[in-house]
Amino acid sequence: MAVQAMPEPQTIQRDPALFYWILFPITVVMILTGILRHYATILMQSTPKKADLKTLREQRTLLHGISLRTAYPSLPPSSFHARKSHLIPLYTSGAFLKDPSSRGKPAANPMTDPAGMEAMMGMMKGNMAMMIPQTVIMGWINAFFSGFVILKLPFPLTIRFKSMLQSGVGTRDLDVRWVSSLSWYFLNLFGLQSVFTFILGDDNAASQTTQQMAQMNPSASATQGGMFAPGADVDKLYQSEAENLEVVGYWSVFEGVEGRCLRLL
């Protein structure tokens, strides 16, 4: 019986200077660009205006209902039903609105609201701080480092990774583990979050991932223009939250806790 010979590993004769003239410069430039983007974002941020008492009450009371709806299993039944019966009538009557006379009226145009214009300008500044450096770096890499194969990954990969790891290199038979200079740029673009966290701390504006994940927290989105964005109809938010609280069925995490503790012994 014939024994099939194992394929020989693919080798490419590469100049060792590629590490110093391509891989290392791209990595350093990406890190320095992220640090500069962080401080540029801080400098371009305008000083937040202090909200008046009625606006703060309008926001905090709605967040109170959201917190009650999501964390009620930790409350005893009497506390949950007391809070529920207190909040629902106030939500439906609009008692927490900063301007109760505006109920039923169409929302104001955010383009005519100074707060809305300021929020849109801040968003535009953030997009510019993100897009302009990436466009410059992309052009720099395409102009000087296009077509170079700079490293080989030490672990096997499937063929699906070929288009991601070998951007700018049009070779069909090249092993998927080889990484091109353009792909190294994309890997740095999405993989330097831990480096930026180590240098700048957790609350940094150097990474695109941080800006995307910052809107997943309901309280953060409420204060940064998500839930209470200019032009939002807060009365509808109150009515919706009152309906959500009305249909919540109570259960407690402390039900049967004695039996669960005894089973662990």
Side-chain angles (χ1 to χ4, degrees):
M1 184 175 62
V3 179
Q4 185 178 4
M6 296 294 294
E8 296 183 0
Q10 189 180 64
T11 58
I12 298 178
Q13 299 298 328
R14 295 176 298 115
D15 189 350
L18 291 177
F19 176 83
Y20 302 101
W21 292 102
I22 298 180
L23 189 145
F24 185 71
I26 291 177
T27 305
V28 172
V29 167
M30 291 294 294
I31 294 175
L32 294 178
T33 302
I35 296 175
L36 291 176
R37 185 189 304 119
H38 169 73
Y39 289 107
T41 304
I42 293 176
L43 291 176
M44 289 189 296
Q45 286 179 349
S46 57
T47 304
K49 297 181 179 179
K50 293 184 179 180
D52 58 284
L53 181 60
K54 293 184 178 180
T55 302
L56 289 176
R57 185 189 64 175
E58 185 181 68
Q59 297 177 0
R60 297 301 184 266
T61 49
L62 183 57
L63 293 177
H64 184 196
I66 296 175
S67 300
L68 176 63
R69 178 167 49 87
T70 56
Y72 71 89
S74 301
L75 296 174
S78 57
S79 299
F80 169 71
H81 291 296
R83 288 170 170 80
K84 179 179 176 180
S85 59
H86 172 71
L87 289 176
I88 291 178
L90 295 176
Y91 282 172
T92 54
S93 63
F96 292 133
L97 292 173
K98 64 178 179 181
D99 186 13
S101 61
S102 61
R103 295 188 67 188
K105 297 180 180 179
N109 187 1
M111 299 298 295
T112 60
D113 188 2
M117 293 297 295
E118 185 176 355
M120 285 187 286
M121 285 298 297
M123 187 181 302
M124 186 182 301
K125 291 178 183 178
N127 292 335
M128 290 176 59
M130 179 63 63
M131 296 301 298
I132 293 177
Q134 300 305 332
T135 304
V136 174
I137 295 176
M138 190 78 169
W140 171 63
I141 293 176
N142 281 327
F144 294 98
F145 307 126
S146 178
F148 285 96
V149 177
I150 55 178
L151 60 91
K152 185 178 183 180
L153 299 177
F155 46 86
L157 294 171
T158 62
I159 195 63
R160 294 180 180 273
F161 289 90
K162 187 176 181 64
S163 60
M164 181 180 68
L165 296 177
Q166 297 177 6
S167 299
V169 179
T171 54
R172 182 179 301 177
D173 300 328
L174 187 63
D175 190 356
V176 69
R177 291 185 294 173
W178 292 101
V179 181
S180 66
S181 57
L182 187 59
S183 295
W184 181 250
Y185 157 74
F186 287 112
L187 292 176
N188 280 275
L189 180 62
F190 298 105
L192 289 176
Q193 173 61 29
S194 58
V195 177
F196 292 137
T197 302
F198 176 76
I199 298 175
L200 302 171
D202 294 330
D203 189 15
N204 66 80
S207 176
Q208 185 179 6
T209 308
T210 304
Q211 299 177 4
Q212 294 174 351
M213 295 294 291
Q215 300 179 359
M216 296 182 64
N217 186 358
S219 60
S221 62
T223 55
Q224 295 176 3
M227 190 182 304
F228 297 102
D233 193 343
V234 184
D235 184 46
K236 291 184 178 179
L237 296 177
Y238 276 130
Q239 302 299 327
S240 176
E241 190 57 36
E243 294 178 0
N244 294 334
L245 287 174
E246 190 70 40
V247 299
V248 167
Y250 178 80
W251 67 275
S252 176
V253 295
F254 301 107
E255 294 177 357
V257 65
E258 299 89 352
R260 296 199 300 268
C261 292
L262 291 175
R263 285 194 296 267
L264 295 176
L265 297 178

